[in-house]
């Protein structure tokens, strides 16, 4: 076997193991002295300490040195798992390259599955239904097209998968949270109503667009929260609201103080397809329960995307309603939190006690 120059040195090989690089599979294997097993570089098993690792050019060399193949690693990379991943990847590429969103029957036929089994498989692997994935992809494409100064709105409509203006305008507000020309102008024309209040965790700002709650911000300085909202929607019309709107903020404050009452408000959630998968998974975590970033990555079918999961949590603008405070490090450490670790600790304490 000829070794790729990119994996020639031990430092290069260790970097590939840390990145779980599938391109390195077949180039070498790594063995763990403390467990007596060896794995492929892309193995999703827990990373060992560097001082316990040695590298071999082939599985045969590792076995000759007394190591055995990791059954746990083998279980995480069975041919069935690889086949499922390949089917979903093929369907995703078909969705992304089709001029108009393909139907469930079309997708299922393309991968050789019944619509029922394909729908279940796709949802289990990605955390989204095929239709939801298609909508999220179109929304991202639409935002990208509208952000280009060289593209007309008409071209953006067709390039993002709409085959008529009428169908686009039926869905545009749901996809963008505002009219296309308003989105293109950086939110100009959109109306964001907000109110600022106080709770036991400090200042709180709640903002609402035409579609629902678009921001719940926590902090120490009310003025800074307003500036943060303005930065989030730089060209929207930001309106401080009256006592009637403050009833909405009272609901949020009540939920923060007593989590058991729940929070049932329409949300205006706008993110990439990946972020929306993460945020949907966060909303499925029961109050009082914590999970790790690794757990969330596995739940959404992207076990290698732990850092991207953490970034999606950091990009969440809707505190408590999308409960990123329930995600901790693998060792149980609270790690970072957009609105401060002390607030995160207190929110979790209240949920356990409530």
């Amino acid at each position: 076997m000829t070794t790729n120059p990119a994996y020639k040195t031990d430092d290069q090989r260790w970097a590939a193991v840390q990145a779980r690089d599938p391109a390195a599979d077949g180039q070498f294997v790594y063995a763990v002295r403390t467990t007596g097993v060896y794995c492929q570089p892309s193995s999703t098993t827990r990373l060992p300490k560097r001082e316990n690792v040695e590298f071999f050019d082939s599985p045969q060399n590792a076995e000759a040195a007394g190591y055995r193949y990791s059954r746990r690693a083998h279980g995480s990379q069975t041919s069935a798992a690889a086949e499922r991943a390949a089917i979903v990847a093929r369907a995703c590429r078909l969705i992304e390259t089709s001029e108009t969103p393909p139907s469930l029957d079309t997708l299922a036929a393309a991968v050789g599955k019944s619509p029922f089994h394909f729908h279940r498989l796709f949802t289990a692997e990605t955390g989204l239904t095929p239709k939801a994935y298609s909508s999220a992809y179109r929304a991202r494409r639409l935002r990208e097209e509208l952000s280009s100064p060289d593209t007309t709105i008409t071209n953006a409509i067709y390039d993002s998968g709409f085959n008529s203006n009428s169908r686009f305008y039926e869905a545009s507000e749901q996809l963008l949270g505002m009219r296309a020309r308003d989105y293109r102008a950086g939110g100009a024309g959109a109306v964001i109503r907000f109110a600022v209040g106080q709770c036991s965790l400090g200042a709180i700002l709640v903002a609402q667009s035409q579609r629902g709650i678009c921001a719940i911000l926590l902090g120490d300085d009310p003025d800074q929260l307003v500036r943060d909202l303005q930065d989030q929607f730089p060209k929207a019309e930001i309106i401080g609201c009256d006592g009637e709107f403050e009833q909405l903020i009272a609901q949020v404050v009540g939920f923060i103080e007593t989590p058991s009452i729940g929070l049932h408000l329409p949300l205006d959630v706008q993110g990439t397809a990946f972020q929306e998968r993460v945020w949907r998974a966060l909303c499925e975590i029961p109050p009082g329960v914590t999970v790790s970033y690794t757990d969330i990555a596995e739940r959404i079918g992207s076990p290698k995307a732990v850092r991207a999961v953490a970034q999606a949590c950091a990009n969440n603008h809707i505190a408590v309603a999308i409960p990123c405070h329930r995600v901790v490090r693998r060792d149980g450490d609270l790690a970072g939190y957009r609105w401060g670790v002390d607030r995160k600790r207190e929110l979790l304490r209240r949920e356990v006690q409530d």
Side-chain angles (χ1 to χ4, degrees), residues 139-190:
R140 180 170 65 82
R141 281 287 309 278
L142 181 59
R143 293 183 187 116
E144 290 173 351
E145 294 291 338
L146 289 172
S147 297
S148 171
D150 299 325
T151 302
T152 66
I153 290 179
T154 299
N155 287 341
I157 290 171
Y158 288 98
D159 289 345
S160 56
F162 292 91
N163 56 13
S164 71
N165 286 11
S166 59
R167 293 192 64 182
F168 162 75
Y169 285 110
E170 288 172 4
S172 61
E173 284 204 19
Q174 184 176 3
L175 292 175
L176 299 172
M178 60 191 74
R179 295 174 300 179
R181 63 176 179 269
D182 296 336
Y183 181 88
R184 183 164 203 172

Side-chain angles (χ1 to χ4, degrees), residues 195-199 202-206 216-219 225 249 252-253 256:
V196 177
Q198 288 288 324
C199 65
I204 181 171
L205 180 149
V206 179
I216 297 176
L217 309 179
L218 298 170
L225 296 184
I249 204 169
V252 179
V253 171
I256 290 173

Side-chain angles (χ1 to χ4, degrees), residues 276-296:
E276 290 185 13
R277 284 162 58 194
V278 172
W279 297 338
R280 185 176 289 106
L282 297 182
C283 291
E284 294 173 356
I285 305 171
V289 174
T290 59
V291 300
S292 70
Y293 296 101
T294 301
D295 292 332
I296 294 296

Side-chain angles (χ1 to χ4, degrees), residues 52-74:
N52 296 328
V53 172
E54 61 178 320
F55 302 99
F56 295 92
D57 289 338
S58 69
Q60 292 80 8
N61 291 348
E63 289 172 6
Y67 291 98
R68 68 185 189 281
Y69 187 47
S70 171
R71 292 186 177 183
R72 183 176 179 185
H74 178 71

Side-chain angles (χ1 to χ4, degrees), residues 194-217:
F194 79 95
V196 177
Q198 288 288 324
C199 65
S200 59
L201 298 181
I204 181 171
L205 180 149
V206 179
Q208 185 180 49
S209 70
Q210 294 95 321
R211 292 181 57 198
I213 300 298
C214 59
I216 297 176
L217 309 179

Side-chain angles (χ1 to χ4, degrees), residues 19-319:
R20 305 186 192 277
D21 181 4
D25 290 352
Q27 298 294 322
F28 67 91
V29 297
Y30 72 93
V32 185
R33 297 186 182 95
T34 53
T35 61
V37 302
Y38 71 89
C39 307
Q40 293 289 345
S42 67
S43 169
T44 58
T45 56
R46 187 172 183 176
L47 284 177
K49 293 182 178 179
R50 174 64 184 90
E51 59 266 26
N52 296 328
V53 172
E54 61 178 320
F55 302 99
F56 295 92
D57 289 338
S58 69
Q60 292 80 8
N61 291 348
E63 289 172 6
Y67 291 98
R68 68 185 189 281
Y69 187 47
S70 171
R71 292 186 177 183
R72 183 176 179 185
H74 178 71
S76 70
Q77 297 177 0
T78 61
S79 58
E83 181 184 0
R84 291 196 300 272
I87 288 172
V88 170
R90 204 182 323 153
C92 289
R93 299 298 82 75
L94 182 59
I95 291 171
E96 293 167 6
T97 56
S98 298
E99 290 187 4
T100 57
S103 67
L104 177 63
D105 289 344
T106 298
L107 290 170
V111 299
K113 296 288 183 181
S114 71
F116 172 78
H117 285 97
F118 167 72
H119 188 279
R120 185 169 63 178
L121 169 64
F122 190 98
T123 304
E125 292 290 312
T126 67
L128 294 172
T129 66
K131 183 177 181 180
Y133 182 90
S134 178
S135 296
Y137 176 76
R138 279 203 295 172
R140 180 170 65 82
R141 281 287 309 278
L142 181 59
R143 293 183 187 116
E144 290 173 351
E145 294 291 338
L146 289 172
S147 297
S148 171
D150 299 325
T151 302
T152 66
I153 290 179
T154 299
N155 287 341
I157 290 171
Y158 288 98
D159 289 345
S160 56
F162 292 91
N163 56 13
S164 71
N165 286 11
S166 59
R167 293 192 64 182
F168 162 75
Y169 285 110
E170 288 172 4
S172 61
E173 284 204 19
Q174 184 176 3
L175 292 175
L176 299 172
M178 60 191 74
R179 295 174 300 179
R181 63 176 179 269
D182 296 336
Y183 181 88
R184 183 164 203 172
V191 177
I192 307 293
R193 302 168 64 225
F194 79 95
V196 177
Q198 288 288 324
C199 65
S200 59
L201 298 181
I204 181 171
L205 180 149
V206 179
Q208 185 180 49
S209 70
Q210 294 95 321
R211 292 181 57 198
I213 300 298
C214 59
I216 297 176
L217 309 179
L218 298 170
D220 299 316
D221 182 356
D223 292 335
Q224 182 60 52
L225 296 184
V226 176
R227 288 193 292 270
D228 291 344
L229 180 68
Q230 291 170 334
D231 289 342
Q232 186 178 344
F233 302 99
K235 296 185 180 179
E237 183 180 0
I238 308 293
I239 301 175
C241 289
D242 53 21
E244 182 179 346
F245 185 84
E246 289 176 0
Q247 293 178 7
L248 189 66
I249 204 169
Q251 286 183 257
V252 179
V253 171
F255 173 67
I256 290 173
E257 306 297 343
T258 311
S260 62
I261 67 175
L263 185 64
H264 307 288
L265 296 171
L267 303 181
D268 180 3
V269 179
Q270 297 179 33
T272 66
F274 181 86
Q275 287 172 334
E276 290 185 13
R277 284 162 58 194
V278 172
W279 297 338
R280 185 176 289 106
L282 297 182
C283 291
E284 294 173 356
I285 305 171
V289 174
T290 59
V291 300
S292 70
Y293 296 101
T294 301
D295 292 332
I296 294 296
E298 291 174 350
R299 289 188 188 191
I300 66 172
S302 301
K304 300 178 184 178
V306 178
R307 288 186 179 180
V309 166
Q311 188 174 17
C313 291
N315 287 331
N316 170 31
H317 293 274
I318 308 180

